[in-house]
Amino acid sequence: MSGELTPGEFKSCCASFYADDVVRRILGDSFHPGGEALTLELLDAVKAGPDDDLLDVATGPGASAVLAARKKGCRVTGVDLSTENLARTGALAKERGVADLVTVREADAERLPFEDGSFDVVLCECAFCTFVDKTTAAREMARVLRPGGRLALSDMTLETDAFPEDLDTLLMRVACISDAVPGERLEAFFSDEGFVDLETGDARWALHEMVEDIRGRLLAVELASKLGKIDLGGIDVQEGKRMARRSIEIIEDGTVGYVTLTGRLPAR
Ligand SMILES: C[S@@+](CC[C@H](N)C(=O)[O-])C[C@H]1O[C@@H](n2cnc3c(N)ncnc32)[C@H](O)[C@@H]1O
């Protein structure tokens, strides 16, 4: 965790970062590698369907919450710390005709405001690495699931003790990437909470694709700013381009990765 920020400041910085308009332009509609394709892979793996109450933890702008409602008919609750993103989720659900299936609520993943055993499926994409207290977040996910409830998660992994020094900037910390853990450790957070049949899948392709997309969008944002069409605020596009180049290197050498993780709680 960042030495410069308290846990509260870190969470609020992370939420504001992902609510920023320029950041949205750079990341696109969905804030996780693999987009809809990887979300559908996860939903299929846990057999999400119309009988399921699904909790999307750290739903961001809601692309996955809305997808789970549209394609699988799940009753979805999306929680996030960012009210701006929750408003986007609500608007998207309305626009796509699934407002009756999607509810949003401002909440911290480490203190979920739900009774024990409220959900059948917990979805959490590219967000576990951002949680300050990962043990508590995993425990909360287990608590709100019913017996037999399923976990569908994807996340960044970091297969080294130290994040590469030249990338360990405040931006990377606030973008919440530098607090990722190795794949084995990620799985252990959930086995410790009683999840069984845990399966980790390699989705590094999705990370590679996302960084390439981001590189393209950074160029578009740079052009729009040169033409005076957008205000970059505090975003340093040159630094973003450098980090994107370096990110490709550390994906290729295996320092960072992206994985899917599915599992379930025992039926009783
Ligand atoms: C990389 S985005 C992923 C968003 C979404 N899951 C997706 O795939 O598009 C990370 C999200 O985690 C949210 N977040 C970070 N820490 C959180 C916490 N402790 N509780 C709830 N949401 C949190 C941020 O506000 C942000 O929307």
Side-chain angles (χ1 to χ4, degrees), residues 203-218:
R204 210 178 323 163
W205 61 269
L207 196 54
H208 211 286
E209 194 181 89
M210 186 182 202
V211 178
E212 289 297 358
D213 286 351
I214 288 175
R215 279 170 97 164
R217 292 202 197 95
L218 278 167

Side-chain angles (χ1 to χ4, degrees), residues 14-15 18 30-32 58-60 80-81 85 107-109 125-126 130-131:
C14 180
Y18 284 106
S30 137
F31 291 178
H32 66 266
T59 194
D80 201 285
L81 286 175
N85 272 331
D108 189 331
E125 295 173 294
C126 199
T130 72
F131 300 154

Side-chain angles (χ1 to χ4, degrees), residues 28-219:
D29 292 334
S30 137
F31 291 178
H32 66 266
E36 289 198 348
L38 198 61
T39 304
L40 285 174
E41 194 181 307
L42 276 175
L43 294 174
D44 285 341
V46 298
K47 298 189 170 52
D51 292 333
D52 289 325
D53 289 307
L54 180 149
L55 177 66
D56 185 14
V57 178
T59 194
S64 303
V66 169
L67 191 72
R70 276 181 55 231
K71 298 278 182 177
K72 303 292 176 188
C74 302
R75 291 175 297 275
V76 181
T77 304
V79 295
D80 201 285
L81 286 175
S82 154
T83 45
E84 290 95 329
N85 272 331
L86 290 172
R88 283 173 190 137
T89 302
L92 186 66
K94 209 167 175 185
E95 187 189 307
R96 303 279 159 90
V98 286
D100 54 330
L101 287 177
V102 178
T103 311
V104 293
R105 186 143 170 199
E106 185 181 346
D108 189 331
E110 294 164 27
R111 274 190 309 275
L112 293 171
F114 307 107
E115 310 258 303
D116 297 1
S118 301
F119 298 93
D120 304 291
V121 177
V122 161
L123 176 68
C124 181
E125 295 173 294
C126 199
F128 196 76
C129 61
T130 72
F131 300 154
V132 176
D133 182 347
K134 294 178 173 44
T135 301
T136 302
R139 187 160 302 152
E140 281 292 88
M141 292 186 203
R143 182 186 65 76
V144 300
L145 275 174
R146 297 182 180 123
R150 292 98 79 204
L151 170 74
L153 180 142
S154 67
D155 206 13
M156 305 272 310
T157 54
L158 187 59
E159 301 296 338
T160 169
D161 289 341
F163 201 69
E165 219 172 276
D166 64 324
L167 283 170
D168 196 12
T169 60
L170 189 60
L171 174 64
M172 282 307 215
R173 283 166 184 265
V174 169
C176 322
I177 291 159
S178 56
D179 209 28
V181 296
E184 266 183 33
R185 179 74 193 104
L186 181 65
E187 201 174 305
F189 277 112
F190 293 92
S191 55
D192 287 352
E193 299 308 326
F195 283 90
V196 295
D197 294 344
L198 284 163
E199 275 185 36
T200 296
D202 186 353
R204 210 178 323 163
W205 61 269
L207 196 54
H208 211 286
E209 194 181 89
M210 186 182 202
V211 178
E212 289 297 358
D213 286 351
I214 288 175
R215 279 170 97 164
R217 292 202 197 95
L218 278 167
L219 293 176

